[in-house]
Amino acid sequence: MSVLRPLDKLPGLNTATILLVGTEDALLQQLADAMLKEDCASELKVHLAKSLPLPSSVTRPRIDLIMFVVNLHSKYSLRNVEESLHHVDATFFLGKVGFLATGAGRESHCSVHRNTVVKLAHTYRSPLLFCDLEVEGFRATMAQRLVRMLQICAGHVPGLSALNLLSLLRSSENPSLEDL
Amino acid sequence: MDSCDTPESTPRQRASSRLKDYFIGATPLQKRLESVRRQTSFVPTPPRRKIPQCSQLQEDVDPQKVAFLLHKQWTLYSLTPLYKFSYTNLKEYSKLLGAFIAAEKQKGLAVEVGEDFNIKVIFSALLGMKGTQRDPEAFLVQILSKSQLPSENREGKVLWTGWFCCIFGDSLLETVSEDFTCLPLFLANGAETNTAMIGTWFQKTFDCYFSPLAINAYNLSWMAAMWTACKMDHYMATTEFLWSVPCSPQRLDISYAIHPEDAKALWDSVHKTPGEVTQEEVDLFMDCLYSHFHRHFKIHLSATRLVRVSTSVASAHTDGKIKILCHKYLIGVLAYLTELAIFQIE
């Protein structure tokens, strides 16, 4: 079973790679296009996967950030993400993993409760972002945010590391979370 | 004589009791803010709900009086609290609403073919339709057609029925002041034009707001689990689910019917805590159905949208339509719907 490890490959020169994992192919493709349109000093590479583990036959660069995309309209996407999480090494969760929940805007179509994803992100101590990927404006904003996160996780921003970013994102949450 | 064993209270306990004293005298607005603040806490607690039981208030309700509520399709709306509504003025409201409807019809806004006899509006209180003693009384509005011919029955045909109720609405009742009557759930049966007219009249008279109550797939699966958990002597209908698959160009609907006793047997094997339903049990129940379907048809139902749930207790559609079939669990079904309505108002 191949497990993704954050530091098992050497980094490429000025390259940052993000892996988007989720069942919603069309949405992931659109998000990837939006990200690649962004101006960025580093060279961006976006990999899309339906689920983990990734096929070992392909050579790929070192992955700097994994975003798991959950569609709140479909329980299947949640189950898929939960199963894929088992193929990620624990050291990845030090700031190099994030969760993205889409579909919260259309409440009447939701079959996954918001709290389920919140609990999942809390269990893995990773940031959770909400974004309606179907809406173009929100998607563009989220792409900008992900590009920035990716640059930090790849180490291209001097003075800020993935772990710094994680603690910054967590301190803005309700402090009562620490009691859990 | 005072007892000497007063408990040692830590500073934290003292602070919280001070806070509690502060809130006893708090205005409704402060209570509202406190409840909203409590809700936005990040601690995700898994919801637990009670399986609908026969409440003792149900015994007071004559099954024949509420029989007209069963086996009818009701469209659901959530309603904000009514300002200065009084149960003693029901006759006056009937006259006012009747006059309003007659005026609207003359304006030509609501034209119905073949409808040229008089309309009579009746407001009546529905006794016993409440969860706790604190809940306000439910009331019923009916539009009857008054026939001109004296030989026919004086009552006439019921054209439209709507009723307002509040079952276990404690979370809302705590936060409103005395002038407001909280009846967050509104059910209507009849022509849409009549519903719109009556809605306008209520909105103008009592400064409230109606909004259609949609039920999402998450809540439908909870309803399926809770209604399957209800003990029934004999089952009148098969348990049926309807899923909508989003695909172009045409929508695909998948319907899955189970024998109600099999559904109950499945639920009993999943159910652990007596008297309560937990999130894990609901998920497990639905997952069993999904995996069974997947084994036979290789289709992942969890990727589709649950649109309709139909059991022997009641049936619900995601557009906010409900039909209640069993009078024993009427209060239980309404309690859950009231919870959804309150959630939508807030």
Side-chain angles (χ1 to χ4, degrees):
Chain A
M1 282 287 198
S2 62
V3 170
L4 278 178
R5 281 177 228 281
L7 300 171
D8 60 351
K9 289 193 180 125
L10 289 173
L13 187 61
N14 206 31
T15 312
T17 312
I18 182 172
L19 175 66
L20 298 172
V21 180
T23 50
E24 310 289 317
D25 304 325
L27 292 178
L28 291 190
Q29 187 64 53
Q30 287 173 326
L31 182 60
D33 292 338
M35 282 183 75
L36 290 170
K37 278 204 203 99
E38 292 293 318
D39 286 331
C40 182
S42 342
E43 193 190 313
L44 287 182
K45 288 208 168 104
V46 184
H47 283 243
L48 304 175
K50 223 176 157 90
S51 67
L52 299 176
L54 298 173
S56 47
S57 52
V58 180
T59 52
R60 62 180 66 84
R62 184 184 80 163
I63 293 174
D64 298 306
L65 175 63
I66 306 180
M67 284 304 283
F68 289 98
V69 180
V70 176
N71 187 355
L72 291 179
H73 299 180
S74 143
K75 259 195 190 156
Y76 177 59
S77 71
L78 179 67
R79 291 275 174 271
N80 181 54
V81 160
E82 282 173 355
E83 252 137 64
S84 304
L85 280 165
H86 298 150
H87 298 280
V88 179
D89 187 50
T91 45
F92 237 117
F93 292 100
L94 295 171
K96 297 198 173 190
V97 169
F99 292 91
L100 179 60
T102 179
R106 280 198 293 176
E107 176 65 30
S108 56
H109 285 234
C110 286
S111 48
V112 176
H113 199 266
R114 209 196 122 99
N115 279 351
T116 316
V117 224
V118 170
K119 205 163 145 204
L120 179 68
H122 179 69
T123 315
Y124 285 95
R125 300 289 192 269
S126 295
L128 172 63
L129 306 170
F130 283 93
C131 171
D132 248 331
L133 289 177
E134 290 165 23
V135 180
E136 166 124 31
F138 298 158
R139 198 167 59 226
T141 319
M142 181 50 66
Q144 277 181 348
R145 207 169 164 186
L146 287 179
V147 166
R148 197 74 189 128
M149 273 177 80
L150 176 58
Q151 282 187 297
I152 295 171
C153 291
H156 294 186
V157 176
L160 198 57
S161 75
L163 208 47
N164 282 355
L165 181 64
L166 183 63
S167 55
L168 274 175
L169 287 174
R170 272 175 61 187
S171 65
S172 61
E173 286 170 11
N174 195 326
S176 69
L177 254 181
E178 304 309 313
D179 298 330
L180 283 179
Chain B
M1 197 171 95
D2 281 351
S3 67
C4 299
D5 46 339
T6 48
E8 289 279 316
S9 58
T10 63
R12 198 188 208 173
Q13 282 173 334
R14 263 181 263 133
S16 65
S17 65
R18 261 210 306 273
L19 207 59
K20 211 167 49 160
D21 291 339
Y22 173 66
F23 272 103
I24 284 171
T27 63
L29 180 61
Q30 284 168 325
K31 284 187 198 156
R32 203 89 186 81
L33 287 172
E34 175 61 26
S35 75
V36 168
R37 222 177 284 134
R38 255 186 260 133
Q39 274 168 22
T40 53
S41 78
F42 275 68
V43 177
T45 47
R48 301 174 149 258
R49 293 208 178 85
K50 288 212 183 61
I51 299 175
Q53 312 281 348
C54 287
S55 70
Q56 51 265 59
L57 284 169
Q58 184 85 66
E59 303 304 319
D60 302 328
V61 176
D62 189 5
Q64 280 172 344
K65 286 217 183 85
V66 294
F68 72 97
L69 297 175
L70 304 175
H71 299 284
K72 260 206 191 87
Q73 172 144 301
W74 300 100
T75 311
L76 297 170
Y77 294 85
S78 68
L79 178 61
T80 59
L82 301 163
Y83 183 62
K84 288 212 161 63
F85 177 84
S86 152
Y87 289 97
T88 50
N89 292 350
L90 291 182
K91 273 206 162 36
E92 203 181 300
Y93 297 148
S94 318
K95 283 192 215 127
L96 288 171
L97 184 52
F100 180 78
I101 293 178
E104 289 289 321
K105 284 206 190 296
Q106 280 186 342
K107 264 195 254 178
L109 285 176
V111 180
E112 279 165 27
V113 180
E115 179 108 342
D116 44 12
F117 34 69
N118 284 331
I119 299 284
K120 194 166 86 156
V121 175
I122 299 184
F123 276 60
S124 51
L126 273 178
L127 297 168
M129 299 296 291
K130 39 159 74 167
T132 62
Q133 287 300 343
R134 256 184 92 183
D135 288 332
E137 281 294 342
F139 72 94
L140 174 74
V141 179
Q142 276 177 314
I143 299 182
L144 303 156
S145 62
K146 256 194 310 199
S147 173
Q148 302 289 22
L149 300 174
S151 60
E152 286 194 17
N153 193 354
R154 275 182 60 202
E155 275 307 305
K157 203 165 63 112
V158 176
L159 298 173
W160 185 91
T161 319
W163 50 296
F164 301 74
C165 68
C166 174
I167 317 274
F168 294 112
D170 292 326
S171 58
L172 191 61
L173 291 169
E174 280 168 18
T175 58
V176 297
S177 65
E178 309 294 313
D179 296 329
F180 287 92
T181 313
C182 282
L183 291 161
L185 190 60
F186 173 60
L187 301 96
N189 171 281
E192 182 55 42
T193 50
N194 287 337
T195 313
M197 264 200 295
I198 289 170
T200 322
W201 184 81
F202 268 91
Q203 284 176 171
K204 274 205 283 224
T205 319
F206 301 110
D207 194 25
C208 58
Y209 186 69
F210 284 87
S211 57
L213 183 65
I215 310 174
N216 64 22
Y218 174 78
N219 289 319
L220 281 176
S221 54
W222 262 91
M223 283 182 189
M226 289 202 303
W227 298 343
T228 312
C230 294
K231 256 199 290 274
M232 302 270 293
D233 302 323
H234 68 277
Y235 292 97
M236 304 181 252
T238 57
T239 304
E240 206 180 303
F241 297 84
L242 185 69
W243 281 272
S244 161
V245 184
C247 66
S248 57
Q250 254 182 345
R251 227 188 50 202
L252 176 68
D253 285 333
I254 300 176
S255 162
Y256 185 175
I258 319 170
H259 195 270
E261 278 163 26
D262 292 340
K264 183 79 166 75
L266 173 64
W267 173 256
D268 287 335
S269 64
V270 165
H271 188 49
K272 299 276 169 359
T273 41
E276 268 189 344
V277 182
T278 62
Q279 177 72 59
E280 289 86 31
E281 287 169 6
V282 176
D283 285 340
L284 194 50
F285 179 68
M286 296 305 288
D287 282 342
C288 290
L289 298 175
Y290 292 153
S291 57
H292 180 81
F293 197 85
H294 180 66
R295 203 182 316 134
H296 289 275
F297 298 102
K298 293 289 180 276
I299 295 180
H300 287 282
L301 281 175
S302 45
T304 61
R305 183 167 81 109
L306 183 56
V307 156
R308 188 162 184 274
V309 167
S310 178
T311 62
S312 296
V313 172
S315 82
H317 189 276
T318 189
D319 290 338
K321 304 217 190 316
I322 186 135
K323 193 190 275 197
I324 308 175
L325 303 170
C326 172
H327 85 273
K328 214 165 109 177
Y329 296 107
L330 179 61
I331 297 287
V333 170
L334 292 173
Y336 190 51
L337 293 173
T338 311
E339 199 182 317
L340 291 181
I342 292 177
F343 185 72
Q344 191 178 41
I345 298 173
E346 290 172 354

